[in-house]
Amino acid sequence: SRIASSNIEKILKNLGFQVKRGKNKKWIVEVPGFRHDIEREIDLVEEVCRFYGYDKVKTTLPSLGSWEEKEDKKEKIKNVLRAILKGCGFYEVITNSLVGEELLRISGCFKEEQVYIRNPLSLEQKILRSYLFPQLLDVASFNYNQEIKNLRIMEIGKVFKKKKDAFEEKMALAGVVVEKGFDFFSLKGIVEAILEEIQIDNVAFTFHSLPYFLSQESAFLEKNEMKLGYLGRLNPQLCEEFKLPCETYFFELDLDLILSFYEGKRYYQPLPKFPPVRRDISVVIKENVTAAQVKDVVFKKGKYIEEIRFFDVYRGANIPSGHKSLSFSIIFRHPHKTLTDDEVNKIQSIIIK
């Protein structure tokens, strides 16, 4: 129903409102001081309808438009990540954004990044969390000491960090695994599954020395020289502090940064017409050389390489100190013919040299 502008103006003025006609058919309405119930535009609409008469206003149904659900990109990705991790055996938990100094001290978090609340309700809620993993470890510790010995939990939530005189708010994803027989490469496989599902490729796993991890079982995730997150095995000191077993692993990812690389498109290619040739290679390299560096060298020196799969790393007997043995498979495939053994042998010899 349409109500004439003159009627609307008359009703509002009779109710004590000051009405001025503005530009572009806009009105400026001054609310009288005694009408504390008038706060929004819809309140004025209600006043006009009330005195004009609801019986004169024609009833109509709102336009529903398309039935297709329009979902925010970030929420869509978060739901995809939840589904992936659920398939990997994780349970989602929700923890408080406020933490205490003691938990952060135990976790070894960097104090210069912490954002303090001016008027905290308690000592356990005086700092905005800068990471998700301390509270996840706390949840894992509680459950482990309630005889739940195998546990996988995850959380998607906001973290807050102090940057000089400003504050940074980001969305993060973290997971903790407490499980006998679990290892670093199983955790790396879970993180790779996450990245693969949301089509984030060319991510390098590089070793680092964060205080929470064992130095030989931890890595940063990097893309275009930006750190997307980290993963690893909890160091013995933190395991003791949280009363968790030595087989405790966790990862934490910068979800906002990862989403900046997300395109939302899938690309397809035709199935190969010719069979692959697989060769397994083991090399002894220095401890500080990463699998990603080895992969880059192999791709640069070889040709017709479709894929490189790492399947084993060994440290121990017959391996010099400060070195490790790395084993991997190389999948060769020519796009236009079947490769012979001689052709593959020549390429392999070039790679090994």
Side-chain angles (χ1 to χ4, degrees):
S1 297
R2 290 187 175 274
I3 305 174
S5 299
S6 57
N7 285 348
I8 295 174
E9 186 175 358
K10 183 179 178 182
I11 291 171
L12 290 175
K13 285 183 175 179
N14 289 339
L15 292 172
F17 294 89
Q18 298 293 324
V19 181
K20 295 179 182 179
R21 299 285 186 102
K23 296 181 180 179
N24 300 323
K25 298 182 179 180
K26 292 182 178 179
W27 290 20
I28 301 172
V29 180
E30 185 178 336
V31 180
F34 60 87
R35 293 300 303 270
H36 301 292
D37 57 317
I38 305 298
E39 297 179 348
R40 300 171 297 165
E41 180 183 344
I42 191 64
D43 296 327
L44 295 175
V45 174
E46 184 179 2
E47 289 295 296
V48 171
C49 290
R50 191 161 62 92
F51 282 89
Y52 179 74
Y54 281 112
D55 57 313
K56 298 178 183 178
V57 179
K58 185 179 178 182
T59 303
T60 58
L61 292 174
S63 176
L64 298 178
S66 172
W67 284 97
E68 182 181 356
E69 183 179 359
K70 293 183 179 179
E71 192 174 21
D72 179 73
K73 183 180 78 169
K74 185 179 286 189
E75 287 301 319
K76 182 180 179 181
I77 296 299
K78 285 161 64 175
N79 289 333
V80 168
L81 295 176
R82 288 186 178 101
I84 295 169
L85 290 171
K86 182 180 178 181
C88 293
F90 283 79
Y91 289 90
E92 184 175 8
V93 301
I94 299 174
T95 60
N96 200 325
S97 297
L98 298 170
V99 296
E101 283 183 327
E102 182 63 16
L103 181 60
L104 297 182
R105 184 195 64 78
I106 292 172
S107 305
C109 293
F110 303 114
K111 193 167 184 178
E112 61 271 15
E113 294 180 339
Q114 296 171 10
V115 181
Y116 285 79
I117 302 298
R118 287 184 177 178
N119 299 303
L121 296 176
S122 68
L123 292 176
E124 288 74 31
Q125 295 182 348
K126 65 183 298 184
I127 304 171
L128 285 168
R129 64 186 178 191
S130 48
Y131 302 93
L132 295 178
F133 77 86
Q135 288 163 297
L136 287 182
L137 290 175
D138 199 34
V139 173
S141 175
F142 175 82
N143 283 273
Y144 184 80
N145 289 286
Q146 300 297 318
E147 301 301 320
I148 302 175
K149 301 303 181 184
N150 289 330
L151 180 69
R152 297 186 182 192
I153 55 175
M154 54 78 63
E155 181 175 12
I156 298 175
K158 291 183 178 180
V159 295
F160 309 84
K161 293 182 182 180
K162 187 176 181 180
K163 298 288 184 181
K164 295 183 179 179
D165 296 328
F167 303 104
E168 186 178 64
E169 178 181 333
K170 286 191 172 184
M171 189 65 67
L173 164 66
V176 170
V177 178
V178 181
E179 190 173 307
K180 189 174 182 180
F182 196 82
D183 60 19
F184 173 77
F185 295 101
S186 299
L187 182 68
K188 182 172 177 282
I190 290 171
V191 174
E192 287 175 329
I194 292 171
L195 297 174
E196 182 180 351
E197 183 64 28
I198 57 176
Q199 304 137 53
I200 308 297
D201 56 5
N202 299 322
V203 175
F205 290 79
T206 57
F207 288 108
H208 63 80
S209 57
L210 280 174
Y212 346 109
F213 297 123
L214 282 176
S215 59
Q216 294 183 347
E217 294 189 57
S218 59
F220 268 126
L221 282 75
E222 295 183 346
K223 182 178 174 69
N224 298 346
E225 298 184 353
M226 291 186 283
K227 290 180 173 61
L228 305 184
Y230 45 85
L231 69 156
R233 182 175 181 175
L234 198 64
N235 69 41
Q237 182 182 351
L238 283 179
C239 288
E240 186 176 344
E241 290 277 9
F242 282 98
K243 298 180 181 178
L244 287 168
C246 59
E247 292 174 317
T248 300
Y249 297 81
F250 75 85
F251 67 87
E252 185 154 338
L253 306 178
D254 185 334
L255 210 51
D256 285 341
L257 189 54
I258 288 174
L259 285 176
S260 70
F261 294 106
Y262 176 70
E263 295 182 357
K265 298 178 181 178
R266 290 189 179 272
Y267 298 92
Y268 297 89
Q269 60 185 23
L271 293 172
K273 296 180 180 179
F274 301 94
V277 178
R278 170 176 166 166
R279 293 293 170 86
D280 292 341
I281 298 176
S282 292
V283 293
V284 176
I285 55 177
K286 290 184 178 180
E287 190 66 59
N288 60 353
V289 178
T290 65
Q293 291 172 322
V294 173
K295 188 175 182 179
D296 288 341
V297 170
V298 173
F299 269 117
K300 287 177 182 177
K301 296 181 71 174
K303 59 181 180 179
Y304 308 133
I305 298 175
E306 184 178 82
E307 187 180 1
I308 298 173
R309 302 172 186 166
F310 294 93
F311 60 84
D312 189 37
V313 60
Y314 173 73
R315 303 174 181 88
N318 301 321
I319 302 297
S321 177
H323 290 70
K324 61 186 175 185
S325 172
L326 190 66
S327 300
F328 54 94
S329 299
I330 305 177
I331 310 299
F332 299 91
R333 194 195 306 265
H334 196 290
H336 305 301
K337 68 172 187 176
T338 300
L339 289 170
T340 64
D341 284 341
D342 288 340
E343 289 173 323
V344 175
N345 289 338
K346 289 179 181 178
I347 300 170
Q348 182 176 331
S349 64
I350 293 172
I351 292 171
I352 294 173
K353 286 180 182 179

